Coordinates of all heavy atoms in Angstrom, one line a residue:
M27 N -12.8 -6.5 -13.8 CA -13.7 -6.5 -12.5 C -14.0 -5.0 -12.4 O -13.2 -4.1 -12.4 CB -12.9 -7.0 -11.3 CG -13.7 -6.8 -10.0 SD -12.9 -7.6 -8.6 CE -11.5 -6.5 -8.4
V28 N -15.2 -4.8 -12.2 CA -15.7 -3.4 -11.8 C -16.3 -3.5 -10.5 O -17.1 -4.3 -10.2 CB -16.7 -2.9 -12.9 CG1 -17.3 -1.5 -12.5 CG2 -16.1 -3.0 -14.3
V29 N -15.9 -2.5 -9.7 CA -16.5 -2.4 -8.4 C -17.5 -1.2 -8.4 O -17.2 -0.1 -8.5 CB -15.4 -2.0 -7.3 CG1 -16.1 -1.9 -5.9 CG2 -14.4 -3.1 -7.2
E30 N -18.8 -1.6 -8.3 CA -19.9 -0.6 -8.3 C -20.9 -0.9 -7.3 O -20.9 -2.0 -6.7 CB -20.5 -0.7 -9.7 CG -19.6 -0.4 -10.8 CD -20.4 -0.6 -12.2 OE1 -21.6 -0.9 -12.2 OE2 -19.8 -0.3 -13.2
G31 N -21.7 0.1 -7.0 CA -22.8 -0.1 -6.1 C -22.5 -0.3 -4.7 O -23.3 -0.8 -3.9
R32 N -21.3 0.1 -4.3 CA -20.9 0.0 -2.8 C -21.7 1.0 -2.0 O -21.8 2.2 -2.4 CB -19.3 0.2 -2.7 CG -18.5 -0.8 -3.3 CD -17.1 -0.5 -3.2 NE -16.7 -0.6 -1.9 CZ -16.2 -1.7 -1.2 NH1 -16.0 -2.8 -1.9 NH2 -15.9 -1.8 0.1
G33 N -22.2 0.6 -0.9 CA -22.9 1.6 -0.1 C -22.1 2.7 0.5 O -22.4 3.8 0.6
A34 N -20.8 2.4 0.9 CA -19.9 3.3 1.5 C -18.7 3.5 0.6 O -18.3 2.5 -0.2 CB -19.5 2.9 2.8
A35 N -18.1 4.6 0.5 CA -17.0 4.8 -0.2 C -15.7 4.0 0.2 O -15.5 3.9 1.5 CB -16.7 6.3 -0.3
M36 N -14.9 3.5 -0.7 CA -13.6 2.9 -0.3 C -12.6 4.0 -0.2 O -12.7 5.0 -0.8 CB -13.2 1.9 -1.4 CG -12.1 1.0 -1.1 SD -11.9 -0.5 -2.2 CE -12.3 0.1 -3.6
F37 N -11.6 3.8 0.7 CA -10.5 4.8 0.8 C -9.1 4.1 0.6 O -9.0 2.9 0.6 CB -10.6 5.2 2.3 CG -11.6 6.4 2.4 CD1 -13.0 6.0 2.4 CD2 -11.3 7.7 2.4 CE1 -13.9 7.0 2.5 CE2 -12.2 8.7 2.5 CZ -13.6 8.3 2.5
A38 N -8.2 4.9 0.2 CA -6.9 4.4 -0.1 C -5.8 5.3 0.7 O -5.9 6.6 0.9 CB -6.6 4.6 -1.6
R39 N -4.8 4.6 1.1 CA -3.6 5.4 1.7 C -2.4 5.2 0.8 O -2.1 4.0 0.4 CB -3.3 4.7 3.1 CG -2.1 5.5 3.7 CD -1.8 4.8 5.1 NE -2.8 5.0 6.1 CZ -3.4 3.9 6.6 NH1 -3.1 2.8 6.4 NH2 -4.4 4.2 7.6
L40 N -1.8 6.2 0.3 CA -0.7 6.2 -0.5 C 0.6 6.6 0.2 O 0.5 7.6 0.9 CB -0.8 7.1 -1.7 CG -1.9 6.9 -2.8 CD1 -1.9 8.0 -3.8 CD2 -1.7 5.5 -3.4
S41 N 1.6 5.8 0.2 CA 2.9 5.9 0.9 C 3.9 6.0 -0.2 O 4.0 5.1 -1.0 CB 3.1 4.8 1.9 OG 2.1 4.8 2.8
T42 N 4.7 7.0 -0.2 CA 5.8 7.1 -1.2 C 7.2 6.9 -0.4 O 7.4 7.4 0.6 CB 5.8 8.6 -1.8 OG1 4.5 8.8 -2.4 CG2 6.8 8.8 -2.9
Y43 N 8.0 6.2 -1.1 CA 9.3 5.8 -0.5 C 10.4 6.1 -1.6 O 10.2 6.2 -2.8 CB 9.3 4.2 -0.3 CG 8.2 3.7 0.3 CD1 7.0 3.4 -0.2 CD2 8.4 3.5 1.7 CE1 6.0 2.8 0.5 CE2 7.2 2.9 2.5 CZ 6.1 2.6 1.8 OH 5.0 2.1 2.4
Q44 N 11.6 6.3 -1.0 CA 12.8 6.5 -1.9 C 13.9 5.5 -1.4 O 14.2 5.4 -0.2 CB 13.4 8.0 -1.8 CG 14.5 8.1 -2.8 CD 14.1 8.0 -4.2 OE1 13.3 8.6 -4.7 NE2 14.8 7.0 -4.9
G45 N 14.4 4.8 -2.4 CA 15.5 3.8 -2.1 C 16.4 3.8 -3.1 O 16.5 4.8 -4.0
S46 N 17.2 2.8 -3.3 CA 18.2 2.7 -4.4 C 17.5 2.2 -5.6 O 16.6 1.4 -5.5 CB 19.4 1.8 -3.9 OG 20.0 2.4 -2.8
P47 N 18.1 2.4 -6.8 CA 17.7 1.8 -8.0 C 17.6 0.2 -7.9 O 18.4 -0.3 -7.1 CB 18.5 2.2 -9.1 CG 19.1 3.6 -8.6 CD 19.2 3.3 -7.1
V48 N 16.6 -0.4 -8.5 CA 16.5 -1.8 -8.4 C 16.9 -2.5 -9.7 O 16.3 -2.1 -10.8 CB 15.0 -2.2 -8.2 CG1 14.8 -3.7 -8.0 CG2 14.5 -1.5 -6.9
P49 N 17.8 -3.4 -9.7 CA 18.3 -4.0 -11.0 C 17.1 -4.7 -11.6 O 16.2 -5.2 -11.0 CB 19.4 -5.0 -10.6 CG 19.7 -4.7 -9.1 CD 18.6 -3.8 -8.6
A50 N 17.2 -4.8 -13.0 CA 16.2 -5.5 -13.8 C 15.9 -6.9 -13.3 O 14.8 -7.3 -13.4 CB 16.6 -5.5 -15.2
E51 N 16.9 -7.6 -12.8 CA 16.7 -8.9 -12.3 C 16.3 -9.0 -10.9 O 16.0 -10.1 -10.4 CB 18.0 -9.8 -12.6 CG 19.2 -9.3 -11.8 CD 20.0 -8.1 -12.3 OE1 19.6 -7.7 -13.4 OE2 20.9 -7.8 -11.7
G52 N 16.2 -7.9 -10.2 CA 15.8 -7.8 -8.8 C 14.4 -8.3 -8.7 O 13.4 -7.9 -9.5
D53 N 14.1 -9.1 -7.5 CA 12.7 -9.5 -7.3 C 12.0 -8.5 -6.4 O 12.3 -8.3 -5.3 CB 12.9 -10.9 -6.5 CG 11.5 -11.5 -6.3 OD1 10.4 -11.0 -6.7 OD2 11.5 -12.7 -5.6
L54 N 11.0 -7.9 -7.1 CA 10.2 -6.9 -6.4 C 9.1 -7.6 -5.4 O 8.7 -6.9 -4.5 CB 9.3 -6.2 -7.4 CG 10.2 -5.3 -8.4 CD1 9.3 -4.6 -9.4 CD2 11.0 -4.2 -7.6
S55 N 8.9 -8.8 -5.6 CA 7.9 -9.4 -4.7 C 8.5 -10.3 -3.6 O 7.8 -10.9 -2.8 CB 7.0 -10.3 -5.5 OG 7.6 -11.4 -6.1
A56 N 9.8 -10.2 -3.3 CA 10.5 -11.1 -2.4 C 9.9 -10.9 -1.0 O 9.9 -11.9 -0.2 CB 12.0 -10.7 -2.4
T57 N 9.6 -9.7 -0.5 CA 9.1 -9.5 0.8 C 7.5 -9.3 0.8 O 7.0 -9.0 1.9 CB 9.7 -8.3 1.5 OG1 9.3 -7.2 0.8 CG2 11.1 -8.5 1.6
S58 N 6.9 -9.6 -0.3 CA 5.5 -9.2 -0.4 C 4.6 -10.1 0.6 O 3.7 -9.6 1.2 CB 4.9 -9.3 -1.7 OG 5.0 -10.7 -2.3
E59 N 4.9 -11.3 0.7 CA 4.1 -12.3 1.5 C 4.2 -11.8 2.9 O 3.3 -11.9 3.6 CB 4.7 -13.7 1.3 CG 3.7 -14.7 1.9 CD 4.2 -16.2 1.6 OE1 4.6 -16.4 0.5 OE2 4.0 -17.0 2.6
A60 N 5.4 -11.5 3.4 CA 5.6 -11.1 4.8 C 4.8 -9.8 5.1 O 4.2 -9.7 6.2 CB 7.0 -10.9 5.1
V61 N 4.8 -8.9 4.2 CA 4.1 -7.6 4.4 C 2.6 -7.8 4.4 O 1.8 -7.3 5.3 CB 4.5 -6.6 3.2 CG1 3.6 -5.4 3.4 CG2 5.9 -6.1 3.4
V62 N 2.1 -8.7 3.5 CA 0.7 -8.9 3.4 C 0.2 -9.6 4.6 O -0.8 -9.3 5.2 CB 0.4 -9.7 2.0 CG1 -1.1 -10.1 2.1 CG2 0.6 -8.9 0.8
K63 N 1.0 -10.6 5.1 CA 0.6 -11.3 6.4 C 0.5 -10.3 7.4 O -0.4 -10.6 8.4 CB 1.7 -12.4 6.7 CG 1.5 -13.6 5.9 CD 2.5 -14.6 6.3 CE 2.3 -15.9 5.5 NZ 3.2 -17.0 5.9
Q64 N 1.2 -9.3 7.6 CA 1.1 -8.3 8.6 C -0.1 -7.5 8.6 O -0.6 -7.1 9.6 CB 2.3 -7.4 8.6 CG 3.6 -8.1 9.0 CD 4.8 -7.1 9.0 OE1 4.8 -6.2 9.8 NE2 5.7 -7.3 8.1
I65 N -0.6 -7.2 7.4 CA -1.8 -6.3 7.3 C -3.0 -6.9 6.9 O -4.1 -6.3 7.2 CB -1.4 -5.2 6.4 CG1 -2.3 -3.9 6.6 CG2 -1.3 -5.5 5.0 CD1 -1.7 -2.7 6.1
Q66 N -3.1 -8.1 6.4 CA -4.2 -8.6 5.8 C -5.4 -8.9 6.8 O -6.6 -8.9 6.4 CB -4.1 -10.0 5.1 CG -3.6 -11.1 6.0 CD -3.2 -12.4 5.0 OE1 -3.3 -12.3 3.8 NE2 -2.9 -13.4 5.8
D67 N -5.0 -9.0 8.1 CA -6.1 -9.3 9.0 C -6.5 -8.0 9.9 O -7.3 -8.0 10.8 CB -5.7 -10.3 10.2 CG -4.5 -9.8 10.9 OD1 -3.7 -8.9 10.5 OD2 -4.2 -10.5 12.0
V68 N -6.1 -6.8 9.5 CA -6.5 -5.6 10.0 C -7.9 -5.3 9.5 O -8.2 -5.4 8.3 CB -5.5 -4.4 9.5 CG1 -6.0 -3.1 10.1 CG2 -4.1 -4.6 10.0
P69 N -8.9 -5.0 10.5 CA -10.2 -4.8 10.0 C -10.3 -3.7 9.0 O -9.7 -2.6 9.1 CB -10.9 -4.4 11.5 CG -10.0 -5.0 12.5 CD -8.6 -4.9 11.9
G70 N -11.1 -4.0 8.0 CA -11.4 -3.1 6.9 C -10.4 -3.1 5.7 O -10.6 -2.4 4.7
F71 N -9.3 -3.9 5.9 CA -8.4 -4.0 4.8 C -9.0 -4.7 3.6 O -9.5 -5.7 3.7 CB -7.1 -4.7 5.3 CG -6.1 -5.0 4.3 CD1 -5.2 -4.0 3.7 CD2 -5.9 -6.2 3.6 CE1 -4.3 -4.2 2.8 CE2 -5.0 -6.5 2.7 CZ -4.2 -5.5 2.2
V72 N -8.8 -4.0 2.4 CA -9.3 -4.6 1.1 C -8.2 -5.2 0.3 O -8.3 -6.3 -0.4 CB -10.1 -3.6 0.4 CG1 -10.6 -4.1 -0.9 CG2 -11.3 -3.1 1.2
G73 N -7.0 -4.4 0.1 CA -6.0 -4.9 -0.7 C -4.8 -4.0 -0.8 O -4.8 -2.9 -0.1
V74 N -3.8 -4.3 -1.6 CA -2.6 -3.5 -1.6 C -1.9 -3.6 -3.0 O -2.0 -4.7 -3.6 CB -1.6 -3.9 -0.5 CG1 -1.1 -5.4 -0.7 CG2 -0.4 -2.9 -0.5
Y75 N -1.4 -2.5 -3.4 CA -0.6 -2.4 -4.6 C 0.7 -1.8 -4.2 O 0.9 -1.0 -3.4 CB -1.2 -1.5 -5.7 CG -2.4 -2.0 -6.4 CD1 -3.6 -1.8 -5.8 CD2 -2.2 -2.8 -7.5 CE1 -4.8 -2.2 -6.5 CE2 -3.4 -3.3 -8.1 CZ -4.7 -3.1 -7.7 OH -5.8 -3.5 -8.3
Y76 N 1.9 -2.3 -4.8 CA 3.2 -1.7 -4.6 C 3.8 -1.4 -6.0 O 4.0 -2.4 -6.9 CB 4.0 -2.8 -4.0 CG 5.4 -2.3 -3.5 CD1 5.6 -1.2 -2.7 CD2 6.6 -2.8 -4.1 CE1 6.8 -0.8 -2.3 CE2 7.9 -2.3 -3.7 CZ 8.0 -1.3 -2.8 OH 9.2 -0.9 -2.4
L77 N 4.0 -0.2 -6.3 CA 4.6 0.2 -7.6 C 5.9 0.8 -7.4 O 6.3 1.5 -6.5 CB 3.6 1.4 -8.1 CG 2.2 1.3 -7.9 CD1 1.4 2.5 -8.2 CD2 1.7 0.1 -8.8
V78 N 6.8 0.4 -8.4 CA 8.3 0.8 -8.3 C 8.8 1.3 -9.6 O 8.4 0.8 -10.7 CB 9.1 -0.5 -7.9 CG1 10.5 -0.2 -7.9 CG2 8.6 -1.0 -6.7
D79 N 9.6 2.3 -9.5 CA 10.4 2.8 -10.6 C 11.8 2.3 -10.5 O 12.5 2.7 -9.6 CB 10.4 4.4 -10.7 CG 11.1 4.9 -11.9 OD1 12.1 4.2 -12.4 OD2 10.9 6.0 -12.3
R80 N 12.1 1.2 -11.1 CA 13.4 0.5 -10.9 C 14.5 1.5 -11.1 O 15.6 1.3 -10.3 CB 13.6 -0.7 -11.8 CG 12.7 -1.8 -11.5 CD 12.9 -2.9 -12.4 NE 12.0 -4.1 -12.2 CZ 12.4 -5.2 -11.5 NH1 13.6 -5.2 -10.9 NH2 11.6 -6.3 -11.4
S81 N 14.4 2.4 -12.1 CA 15.5 3.2 -12.4 C 15.9 4.3 -11.4 O 17.1 4.6 -11.2 CB 15.3 3.9 -13.8 OG 14.3 4.8 -13.6
T82 N 14.9 4.6 -10.6 CA 15.1 5.7 -9.6 C 15.1 5.2 -8.1 O 15.6 5.9 -7.3 CB 14.2 6.9 -9.8 OG1 12.8 6.4 -9.4 CG2 14.1 7.5 -11.1
G83 N 14.4 4.0 -8.0 CA 14.3 3.5 -6.7 C 13.1 4.1 -5.9 O 12.9 3.8 -4.8
K84 N 12.4 4.9 -6.6 CA 11.1 5.5 -6.0 C 10.0 4.4 -6.0 O 9.9 3.6 -7.0 CB 10.7 6.7 -6.7 CG 9.4 7.4 -6.1 CD 9.1 8.7 -6.8 CE 8.0 9.3 -6.1 NZ 7.6 10.7 -6.8
A85 N 9.2 4.4 -4.9 CA 8.2 3.3 -4.9 C 7.0 4.0 -4.2 O 7.1 4.9 -3.5 CB 8.6 2.1 -4.1
V86 N 5.8 3.4 -4.5 CA 4.6 3.9 -3.9 C 3.8 2.6 -3.5 O 3.6 1.7 -4.3 CB 3.7 4.7 -5.0 CG1 2.3 5.2 -4.3 CG2 4.5 5.9 -5.3
S87 N 3.3 2.7 -2.3 CA 2.3 1.5 -2.0 C 0.9 2.1 -1.8 O 0.8 3.4 -1.3 CB 2.7 0.9 -0.6 OG 2.7 1.8 0.4
M88 N -0.1 1.5 -2.1 CA -1.4 1.9 -2.1 C -2.2 0.8 -1.3 O -2.3 -0.3 -1.9 CB -2.1 2.2 -3.4 CG -3.5 2.6 -3.3 SD -4.4 3.1 -4.8 CE -4.4 1.5 -5.6
T89 N -2.7 1.1 -0.1 CA -3.5 0.2 0.6 C -4.9 0.6 0.5 O -5.2 1.8 0.5 CB -3.1 0.0 2.1 OG1 -3.1 1.3 2.7 CG2 -1.8 -0.7 2.3
L90 N -5.9 -0.3 0.2 CA -7.3 0.0 0.1 C -8.0 -0.5 1.4 O -7.8 -1.6 1.9 CB -7.7 -0.7 -1.1 CG -7.1 -0.3 -2.5 CD1 -7.6 -1.2 -3.6 CD2 -7.6 1.2 -2.8
W91 N -9.0 0.4 1.8 CA -9.8 0.2 2.9 C -11.3 0.3 2.7 O -11.7 1.1 1.8 CB -9.3 1.2 4.0 CG -7.9 1.1 4.2 CD1 -6.8 1.8 3.6 CD2 -7.2 0.1 5.1 NE1 -5.7 1.4 4.1 CE2 -5.8 0.3 5.0 CE3 -7.7 -0.7 6.1 CZ2 -4.9 -0.5 5.8 CZ3 -6.8 -1.4 6.8 CH2 -5.4 -1.3 6.6
E92 N -12.1 -0.5 3.4 CA -13.6 -0.4 3.2 C -14.2 0.9 3.4 O -15.1 1.2 2.7 CB -14.2 -1.5 4.2 CG -14.0 -3.0 4.0 CD -14.7 -3.8 5.0 OE1 -15.2 -3.2 6.0 OE2 -14.5 -5.0 4.8
D93 N -13.6 1.7 4.3 CA -14.2 3.0 4.7 C -13.1 3.8 5.4 O -12.1 3.3 5.7 CB -15.5 2.8 5.5 CG -15.3 1.9 6.7 OD1 -14.2 2.0 7.3 OD2 -16.3 1.2 7.0
E94 N -13.5 5.1 5.5 CA -12.5 5.9 6.1 C -12.3 5.6 7.6 O -11.0 5.7 8.0 CB -13.0 7.4 6.0 CG -12.0 8.4 6.4 CD -12.5 9.8 6.1 OE1 -13.7 10.1 6.0 OE2 -11.5 10.7 5.9
P95 N -13.2 5.3 8.4 CA -13.0 4.9 9.8 C -11.9 3.7 9.9 O -11.1 3.7 10.7 CB -14.3 4.5 10.4 CG -15.3 5.3 9.6 CD -14.7 5.4 8.2
S96 N -12.1 2.7 9.0 CA -11.2 1.6 9.0 C -9.7 2.0 8.7 O -8.8 1.7 9.3 CB -11.5 0.5 8.0 OG -12.8 0.0 8.3
M97 N -9.6 3.0 7.7 CA -8.3 3.4 7.3 C -7.7 4.3 8.5 O -6.5 4.0 8.7 CB -8.4 4.3 6.0 CG -7.0 4.8 5.6 SD -7.1 5.8 4.1 CE -7.8 7.4 4.7
E98 N -8.4 5.1 9.0 CA -8.0 5.8 10.2 C -7.5 5.0 11.4 O -6.6 5.2 12.0 CB -9.0 6.9 10.6 CG -9.1 8.0 9.5 CD -10.3 9.0 9.9 OE1 -11.1 8.7 10.8 OE2 -10.4 10.0 9.2
A99 N -8.3 3.9 11.6 CA -8.1 3.1 12.8 C -6.8 2.3 12.5 O -6.2 1.9 13.5 CB -9.2 2.1 13.0
S100 N -6.5 2.0 11.3 CA -5.3 1.2 11.0 C -4.0 2.0 11.1 O -2.9 1.4 10.9 CB -5.5 0.6 9.6 OG -5.3 1.6 8.6
E101 N -4.0 3.3 11.1 CA -2.8 4.2 11.0 C -1.7 3.8 11.8 O -0.6 3.7 11.4 CB -3.2 5.6 11.2 CG -2.0 6.6 10.8 CD -1.3 6.3 9.5 OE1 -2.0 6.1 8.5 OE2 -0.1 6.3 9.5
E102 N -1.9 3.5 13.1 CA -0.8 3.2 14.0 C 0.0 1.9 13.6 O 1.2 1.9 13.4 CB -1.2 3.1 15.4 CG -0.1 2.9 16.4 CD -0.5 2.7 17.8 OE1 -1.4 3.4 18.2 OE2 0.1 2.0 18.6
R103 N -0.8 0.9 13.3 CA -0.3 -0.4 12.9 C 0.3 -0.3 11.6 O 1.4 -0.8 11.3 CB -1.3 -1.5 12.9 CG -0.8 -2.9 12.6 CD -1.8 -3.9 13.0 NE -1.3 -5.2 12.5 CZ -2.1 -6.3 12.5 NH1 -3.3 -6.3 12.9 NH2 -1.7 -7.5 12.2
A104 N -0.4 0.4 10.6 CA 0.1 0.5 9.3 C 1.5 1.4 9.3 O 2.4 1.1 8.6 CB -0.9 1.3 8.3
G105 N 1.5 2.4 10.1 CA 2.7 3.2 10.3 C 4.0 2.3 10.8 O 5.0 2.4 10.2
R106 N 3.7 1.5 11.6 CA 4.7 0.5 12.1 C 5.2 -0.3 11.1 O 6.5 -0.5 10.9 CB 4.2 -0.2 13.3 CG 5.0 -0.2 14.6 CD 4.5 -1.0 15.7 NE 3.4 -1.9 15.6 CZ 2.1 -1.5 16.0 NH1 1.9 -0.4 16.5 NH2 1.1 -2.4 15.8
I107 N 4.3 -1.0 10.4 CA 4.6 -1.8 9.2 C 5.4 -1.1 8.2 O 6.4 -1.5 7.6 CB 3.4 -2.5 8.7 CG1 2.7 -3.5 9.7 CG2 3.7 -3.3 7.4 CD1 1.4 -3.9 9.3
R108 N 4.9 0.1 7.8 CA 5.5 0.9 6.8 C 7.0 1.2 7.1 O 7.9 1.0 6.3 CB 4.7 2.2 6.6 CG 5.2 3.1 5.6 CD 4.2 4.3 5.3 NE 3.6 4.9 6.5 CZ 2.3 4.7 6.9 NH1 1.5 4.0 6.2 NH2 1.9 5.3 7.9
E109 N 7.2 1.7 8.4 CA 8.6 2.1 8.8 C 9.6 0.9 9.0 O 10.7 1.0 8.5 CB 8.5 2.9 10.2 CG 7.8 4.2 10.1 CD 8.6 5.1 9.3 OE1 9.9 5.1 9.1 OE2 8.0 6.1 8.7
E110 N 9.0 -0.2 9.4 CA 9.8 -1.4 9.5 C 10.3 -1.9 8.2 O 11.4 -2.3 7.9 CB 9.1 -2.6 10.3 CG 9.0 -2.2 11.7 CD 8.0 -3.2 12.5 OE1 7.4 -4.2 11.8 OE2 7.7 -2.9 13.7
T111 N 9.3 -2.0 7.3 CA 9.5 -2.5 5.8 C 10.5 -1.6 5.2 O 11.4 -2.0 4.6 CB 8.2 -2.6 5.1 OG1 7.3 -3.5 5.9 CG2 8.4 -3.1 3.7
A112 N 10.3 -0.2 5.2 CA 11.1 0.6 4.6 C 12.6 0.5 5.1 O 13.5 0.5 4.3 CB 10.6 2.1 4.8
R113 N 12.7 0.4 6.3 CA 14.1 0.4 7.0 C 14.8 -1.0 6.5 O 15.9 -1.1 6.1 CB 14.0 0.3 8.6 CG 15.3 0.3 9.3 CD 15.2 0.4 10.8 NE 14.0 -0.2 11.3 CZ 13.0 0.5 11.9 NH1 12.8 1.7 11.7 NH2 12.0 -0.2 12.4
R114 N 14.0 -2.1 6.5 CA 14.5 -3.4 6.1 C 15.0 -3.3 4.6 O 15.9 -4.0 4.2 CB 13.5 -4.5 6.4 CG 14.0 -5.9 6.0 CD 13.0 -7.0 6.4 NE 11.7 -6.8 5.7 CZ 10.6 -6.5 6.4 NH1 10.6 -6.3 7.7 NH2 9.4 -6.2 5.8
E115 N 14.2 -2.6 3.8 CA 14.4 -2.5 2.3 C 15.4 -1.4 2.0 O 15.7 -1.2 0.8 CB 13.1 -2.4 1.6 CG 12.1 -3.5 1.8 CD 12.6 -4.8 1.2 OE1 13.3 -4.8 0.2 OE2 12.5 -5.8 1.9
G116 N 15.9 -0.7 2.9 CA 16.8 0.4 2.7 C 16.2 1.6 2.0 O 16.8 2.3 1.3
Q117 N 14.9 1.9 2.4 CA 14.2 3.0 1.9 C 13.9 3.9 3.0 O 14.0 3.6 4.1 CB 12.8 2.5 1.3 CG 13.0 1.5 0.2 CD 11.6 1.0 -0.2 OE1 10.7 0.7 0.6 NE2 11.4 0.8 -1.5
R118 N 13.5 5.2 2.6 CA 13.0 6.1 3.6 C 11.6 6.5 3.0 O 11.2 6.6 1.9 CB 13.8 7.3 3.7 CG 14.1 8.2 2.6 CD 15.2 9.2 2.8 NE 15.6 9.8 1.7 CZ 15.0 10.9 1.2 NH1 14.2 11.5 1.9 NH2 15.5 11.4 0.0
V119 N 10.6 6.7 4.0 CA 9.3 7.2 3.7 C 9.3 8.6 3.5 O 9.7 9.5 4.3 CB 8.3 6.8 4.9 CG1 6.9 7.3 4.6 CG2 8.3 5.4 5.2
L120 N 8.9 9.0 2.2 CA 8.7 10.4 1.9 C 7.4 11.1 2.2 O 7.5 12.3 2.7 CB 9.0 10.6 0.3 CG 10.3 10.1 -0.2 CD1 10.4 10.2 -1.7 CD2 11.5 10.7 0.5
S121 N 6.3 10.4 2.1 CA 5.0 10.9 2.4 C 4.0 9.8 2.5 O 4.2 8.6 2.0 CB 4.6 11.8 1.2 OG 4.4 11.1 0.0
V122 N 3.0 10.2 3.2 CA 1.7 9.3 3.5 C 0.6 10.2 3.4 O 0.4 11.2 4.0 CB 1.8 8.7 4.9 CG1 0.6 7.8 5.1 CG2 3.1 7.9 5.1
E123 N -0.4 9.8 2.5 CA -1.6 10.6 2.2 C -2.8 9.6 2.1 O -2.7 8.4 1.7 CB -1.5 11.3 0.9 CG -0.3 12.2 0.7 CD -0.1 12.7 -0.7 OE1 0.4 12.0 -1.5 OE2 -0.6 13.9 -0.9
G124 N -3.9 10.1 2.5 CA -5.2 9.4 2.4 C -6.1 10.0 1.4 O -6.1 11.2 1.3
F125 N -6.9 9.1 0.7 CA -7.8 9.5 -0.3 C -9.1 8.7 -0.4 O -9.0 7.5 0.0 CB -7.2 9.4 -1.8 CG -5.9 10.2 -2.0 CD1 -4.7 9.7 -1.7 CD2 -6.0 11.4 -2.6 CE1 -3.5 10.4 -1.9 CE2 -4.9 12.2 -2.7 CZ -3.6 11.7 -2.5
E126 N -10.2 9.3 -0.8 CA -11.4 8.5 -1.1 C -11.2 8.0 -2.6 O -10.8 8.7 -3.4 CB -12.6 9.4 -1.0 CG -13.9 8.7 -1.2 CD -15.1 9.6 -1.0 OE1 -15.0 10.8 -0.5 OE2 -16.2 9.1 -1.2
V127 N -11.6 6.8 -2.9 CA -11.5 6.1 -4.1 C -12.8 6.7 -4.9 O -13.8 6.4 -4.4 CB -11.5 4.7 -4.0 CG1 -11.5 4.0 -5.5 CG2 -10.2 4.1 -3.3
G128 N -12.4 7.4 -6.0 CA -13.5 8.0 -6.8 C -14.2 6.9 -7.6 O -15.5 6.7 -7.7
F129 N -13.4 6.0 -8.2 CA -14.0 4.8 -8.9 C -12.8 3.8 -9.1 O -11.7 4.1 -9.0 CB -14.7 5.2 -10.2 CG -13.7 5.6 -11.3 CD1 -13.2 4.6 -12.2 CD2 -13.3 6.9 -11.4 CE1 -12.3 5.0 -13.2 CE2 -12.4 7.3 -12.4 CZ -11.9 6.4 -13.3
S130 N -13.1 2.6 -9.5 CA -12.1 1.6 -9.9 C -12.6 0.7 -11.0 O -13.9 0.6 -11.1 CB -11.6 0.8 -8.7 OG -12.7 0.0 -8.2
H131 N -11.8 0.3 -11.8 CA -12.2 -0.6 -12.9 C -10.9 -1.3 -13.3 O -9.8 -0.9 -13.5 CB -12.6 0.3 -14.2 CG -12.9 -0.5 -15.4 ND1 -14.2 -1.1 -15.6 CD2 -12.1 -1.0 -16.3 CE1 -14.2 -1.8 -16.7 NE2 -13.0 -1.7 -17.1
F132 N -11.2 -2.7 -13.5 CA -10.1 -3.6 -13.8 C -10.6 -4.5 -15.0 O -11.8 -5.0 -14.8 CB -9.6 -4.5 -12.7 CG -9.1 -3.8 -11.5 CD1 -10.0 -3.3 -10.5 CD2 -7.8 -3.4 -11.5 CE1 -9.5 -2.6 -9.4 CE2 -7.3 -2.6 -10.4 CZ -8.1 -2.2 -9.4
N133 N -9.9 -4.7 -15.9 CA -10.2 -5.7 -17.0 C -9.4 -7.0 -16.7 O -8.2 -6.9 -17.0 CB -9.8 -5.1 -18.4 CG -10.9 -4.1 -18.9 OD1 -12.1 -4.2 -18.6 ND2 -10.5 -3.2 -19.7
R134 N -10.1 -7.9 -16.3 CA -9.3 -9.2 -16.1 C -10.3 -10.3 -16.1 O -11.4 -10.3 -15.6 CB -8.7 -9.2 -14.6 CG -7.4 -8.4 -14.7 CD -6.7 -8.9 -13.5 NE -5.3 -8.9 -14.0 CZ -4.3 -9.5 -13.5 NH1 -4.4 -10.2 -12.4 NH2 -3.1 -9.4 -14.0

């Protein structure tokens, strides 16, 4: 899938976490449904990725937003979700950053 020709730029929020190493048999998607349910109805939300280095316990979430105002308007709610999820998962939030998406391309 290629996302092209959008009138407005898409934006992304990257949040970095540190937790304990995750065993190879550990289920990385165990809480994904609950997290997605909390954020999917936020205006401007487009999607989310959750990336994990099992050996170090470092993780990064990337939420995608229709535009910068949507991303900014979501910050309070997203911050609450991020902190609650990190606490429940035994992680701590290391950083939160916002970016404009330069381009995206998916072969699927």
